[in-house]
Amino acid sequence: MKPIPELLAEHPFFEGLPADDLAALAACGEEVSFGAGEVIFREGTPADRMYVLRAGRVGLEIHALGRPAHLVTTLAAGEILGASWLFPPYQWQFEALALDATTAVALDAGCVRARLDADPALGYVVVQRFAALLVKRLQAARFRLLDVYGDG
Amino acid sequence: MTDALVTTAAFDALLGALADDGRRVIGPRVRDGAVVLDDLDGVADLPVGWADEQSPGRYRLRRRDDDAHFGFTTPSTSWKPFLHPAREVVFRARLDGAGFEVTPPDAPEPLAFIGVRACDLAGIAVQDRVLGGGRFVDAGYAARRSDVFVVAADCGESGPTCFCGSMGTGPTATTGFDLAVGERLGDEPRFFVRIGSARGAALLERVEHTPATEADRADARAAAARAVAGQSRSVAAGEVAGLLARNLEHPRWDEVAERCLACTNCTLVCPTCFCTSVEDSVDLAGTEAVRSRRWDSCFTLDFTALGGAPVRGSVRSRYRQWLTHKLSTWQDQFGELGCVGCGRCLTWCPVGIDLTEEVAAIGATDGAENPGGTPS
Amino acid sequence: MADPVAVTLDADPMVPVPYEVVARRALSDDTTSLTLAPAGPRLADARPGQFFMLWAPGVGEIPISLGVAGPGGQVEESIRAVGAVSRALSATPVGGRIGLRGPFGTSWDLDAAVGRHLLLVAGGVGLVPLRPAVLDAVERASDFRGIGVVVGARTPGDLLFQDELTDWGERPGVQVVTTVDHADRAWHGHVGVVTEVLDLVDLDPARTTAMVCGPEVMMRFVAQALDGRGVPLADVQLSLERNMKCAIGHCGHCQIGGGFVCLDGPVVAADRALPLLQVRER
């Protein structure tokens, strides 16, 4: 099994980060895996991990009364699962479900936040990359609102 | 011989010779209070003694105090209806259950155009390039156009809506005609005839004519100079393409859209506007289908309809399309501007929109799109 | 049987040539594929990305992209029934005849992608014009450093040519990513718009040629996303769609900027097309 810093270095989110920064973050992490159909986290529970997806496919679902589970989006290898761990109140807003067998590096949220607080330069880089990812997802959500394949 | 003088009677004989050759002779005549283009039996059918008064949104005829045959500026319509008709059959098809059999339309009759202004000659040349000068040739247009006998008429005066001088298209015809006439009034009225082609020369030989002198040529040059000097409107032809291309979000488009009715008049009277729609119809028995083509206009909503919605959904965007095509993107497509300065779109605009004024307004505040707010 | 005689270039480009429907199959609720064979003279062979004008005799005519070219001048055309003409064409039975003119327009430039990564991005029925390029590309996959096919649709049921998507994805050097706007857990692809899954395709942005076909706003977003990833817009080909009546540059309906989609398109490089698509038309 590869050491965690190496797993992080292979992931696009951490591309190009200096080895000591990777080591500092990797110290917060452990490798985890989920079988197909296994729930990774549930809505309303503490958002205590940042998942660095390495393989598989994860679905984010919303459960609303009187409706079937709504699959909001899917995330795959190379992406980051979870945003709520970075911002108060640190609670998951969706349910995450492994749609296929999935492996990830799970970084402890409190540990990561402490590293970023302690090293503002690293904090800036990580938060900037996270912001880019959130903007991309926001733009995609707006794009999807257009329903471009509707009956045109 | 490159030029000659003919009397009115000889000019009449010249029209007769064209008719004798089996041509349909078309030229300006007065009808319904306007100079229109229609069949001529002879010079007497020309608008003898009539002048026109044109200004944005206004057209009137008035009596002249002489008997000029070409004492008006531009006819109310261009020659477009004869070369690129408002409606024409592309083909007929007999449907027989499973299949179909196509019959092309009949060959057109040969035409002679009498009294074509230089701006309109330029307009014909523009349509030649659009409909016949590219990868595909419009069969109907080519058939009608190939054999037209053109008698141009040089302008001795300009109207207030004329701006051919700035577009480089007039007032004197320089190419694209078989014969060109300039009218000399006075006690001994004559037509000063310039020869533009071998068949023009051959036709002239069939009627009485006398050699022109240097004085006649000087008269013609002076008349052209007067006509240009009389033009108060202009477009900076060398700069307008770039100006409009970099001002697609100029506030003037919103302003002109407030006035424009999107009525399509400008596109109908324009000698270069070529857009058409193709329509299919079938008889009640379902055995004969007709494909026809009719003029269309970029001012209509369904012109750009795609999946039920128009691409250019606002008058702002449609007026901008029309003007930028004429004066900017036409250059990209065909290597020249799509406006010849005839001024008809000014005259026949019901609200008097003047494209020279629109261009000037954009030029005066070049770059005024300002999406970033106003510094305070 | 000998090949039918090719139509000469002197023929009137406005006059349709009869083709017979020799096979038909439903691709989805509203999309039908017709296999057409020349019933007389045959038209010139079309290149992927080009289009024909299809005439339902007595009803009307619409532009339809080349589906797949078959033997003997046959073409397979996919038609989505959304208007009177497309409904009439879709309803043509086997043995019935329709008229064809063409082929017209520009084509996908696969050769530009030789030795590079090839990325094909389709949205909705945009897969129809892109499919012949994919079919060509997967047959010569070794010409490219890798082939990525990204297909988006509204729901899994709207995905066209699912068997072919599966087949392409199983070939070496070809990566197929499907994504839909709406699905449930039974769906094995991704959920989200195509721009969200572009990053899943392995490619070197500076050495990538992309071909994109779908709703115009989707192509805009994809081109911008590829631009953001470092793929030069000159290497991104888009397929434009406009109202079209003649297909030969005479009717004026498909004008965009200083060009006609029928002559200068439908396939246009994004560095030229994107600025035109971004002009506000309201």
Side-chain angles (χ1 to χ4, degrees), chain B residues 187-198:
Chain B
D187 295 339
E188 278 189 19
R190 292 288 184 277
F191 291 95
F192 170 65
V193 184
R194 294 183 291 130
I195 296 166
S197 72

Side-chain angles (χ1 to χ4, degrees), chain B:
Chain B
M1 187 180 71
T2 58
D3 49 21
L5 292 181
V6 300
T7 62
T8 304
F11 189 40
D12 191 54
L14 199 143
L15 268 52
L18 287 167
D20 290 345
D21 290 347
R23 292 180 184 279
R24 181 181 166 199
V25 179
I26 298 157
R29 60 188 300 169
V30 172
R31 198 179 66 207
D32 300 333
V35 174
V36 301
L37 299 174
D38 205 346
D39 294 80
L40 298 181
D41 288 332
V43 291
D45 286 342
L46 291 166
V48 182
W50 287 102
D52 53 1
E53 292 176 356
Q54 300 193 40
S55 59
R58 186 172 187 277
Y59 181 98
R60 295 287 185 280
L61 289 187
R62 66 169 168 80
R63 274 285 175 196
R64 295 175 62 96
D65 51 15
D66 58 34
D67 287 331
H69 294 76
F70 294 103
F72 55 93
T73 55
T74 46
S76 58
T77 64
S78 77
W79 302 82
K80 181 168 73 173
F82 301 99
L83 294 175
H84 186 44
R87 186 175 283 278
E88 76 172 305
V89 170
V90 180
F91 64 77
R92 294 175 194 280
R94 199 169 49 78
L95 311 180
D96 60 1
F100 58 88
E101 193 181 319
V102 171
T103 327
D106 297 337
E109 57 191 330
L111 303 173
F113 290 172
I114 309 302
V116 186
R117 297 304 193 187
C119 57
D120 282 339
L121 270 182
I124 292 169
V126 167
Q127 288 217 324
D128 285 349
R129 279 180 277 279
V130 173
L131 297 172
R135 207 175 313 163
F136 297 102
V137 173
D138 180 300
Y141 182 87
R144 287 180 294 272
R145 176 69 180 106
S146 62
D147 185 38
V148 179
F149 192 99
V150 174
V151 178
D154 292 333
C155 288
E157 47 196 88
S158 290
T161 53
C162 295
F163 55 101
C164 66
S166 66
M167 301 311 295
T169 56
T172 304
T174 56
T175 184
F177 57 85
D178 296 294
L179 294 172
V181 298
E183 190 168 15
R184 197 181 74 193
L185 301 167
D187 295 339
E188 278 189 19
R190 292 288 184 277
F191 291 95
F192 170 65
V193 184
R194 294 183 291 130
I195 296 166
S197 72
R199 64 177 185 172
L203 184 77
L204 188 61
E205 286 303 324
R206 289 161 65 183
V207 304
E208 219 173 293
H209 60 277
T210 55
T213 65
E214 192 48 47
D216 297 318
R217 291 173 201 126
D219 276 356
R221 283 194 296 273
R226 274 199 312 278
V228 172
Q231 294 188 7
S232 55
R233 286 184 160 80
S234 66
V235 166
E239 293 155 32
V240 66
L243 173 73
L244 296 186
R246 64 177 177 265
N247 281 284
L248 295 180
E249 301 296 343
H250 195 284
R252 185 72 183 190
W253 301 117
D254 297 300
E255 201 275 336
V256 68
E258 294 281 312
R259 289 174 282 138
C260 175
L261 308 176
C263 71
T264 78
N265 267 14
C266 51
T267 57
L268 301 178
V269 295
C270 178
T272 70
C273 272
F274 57 85
C275 290
T276 50
S277 198
V278 175
E279 291 175 346
D280 282 285
S281 60
V282 68
D283 65 357
L284 283 175
T287 54
E288 198 194 54
V290 178
R291 171 164 302 172
S292 52
R293 191 173 65 178
R294 62 164 176 80
W295 286 354
D296 206 342
S297 170
C298 56
F299 279 95
T300 69
L301 262 179
D302 61 343
F303 187 78
T304 56
L306 194 62
V311 170
R312 290 189 280 272
S314 67
V315 174
R316 168 189 182 271
S317 127
R318 300 202 292 283
Y319 184 86
R320 181 181 64 186
Q321 158 62 24
W322 179 73
L323 194 65
T324 56
H325 191 207
K326 288 286 145 197
L327 292 174
S328 182
T329 53
W330 205 295
Q331 182 93 53
D332 304 329
Q333 281 180 299
F334 302 107
E336 64 189 345
L337 295 181
C339 173
V340 295
C342 74
R344 288 190 182 90
C345 59
L346 282 63
T347 298
W348 297 102
C349 176
V351 295
I353 294 173
D354 170 356
L355 73 80
T356 68
E357 187 187 333
E358 299 310 312
V359 170
I362 290 170
T365 48
D366 188 359
E369 57 178 85
N370 197 22
T374 309
S376 52

Side-chain angles (χ1 to χ4, degrees), chain C residues 140-166:
Chain C
R140 49 187 278 208
S142 58
D143 283 359
F144 312 104
R145 295 181 65 195
I147 299 173
V149 181
V150 176
V151 181
R154 197 178 194 201
T155 69
D158 295 318
L159 269 177
L160 301 173
F161 308 110
Q162 297 200 28
D163 295 350
E164 292 181 33
L165 291 171
T166 306

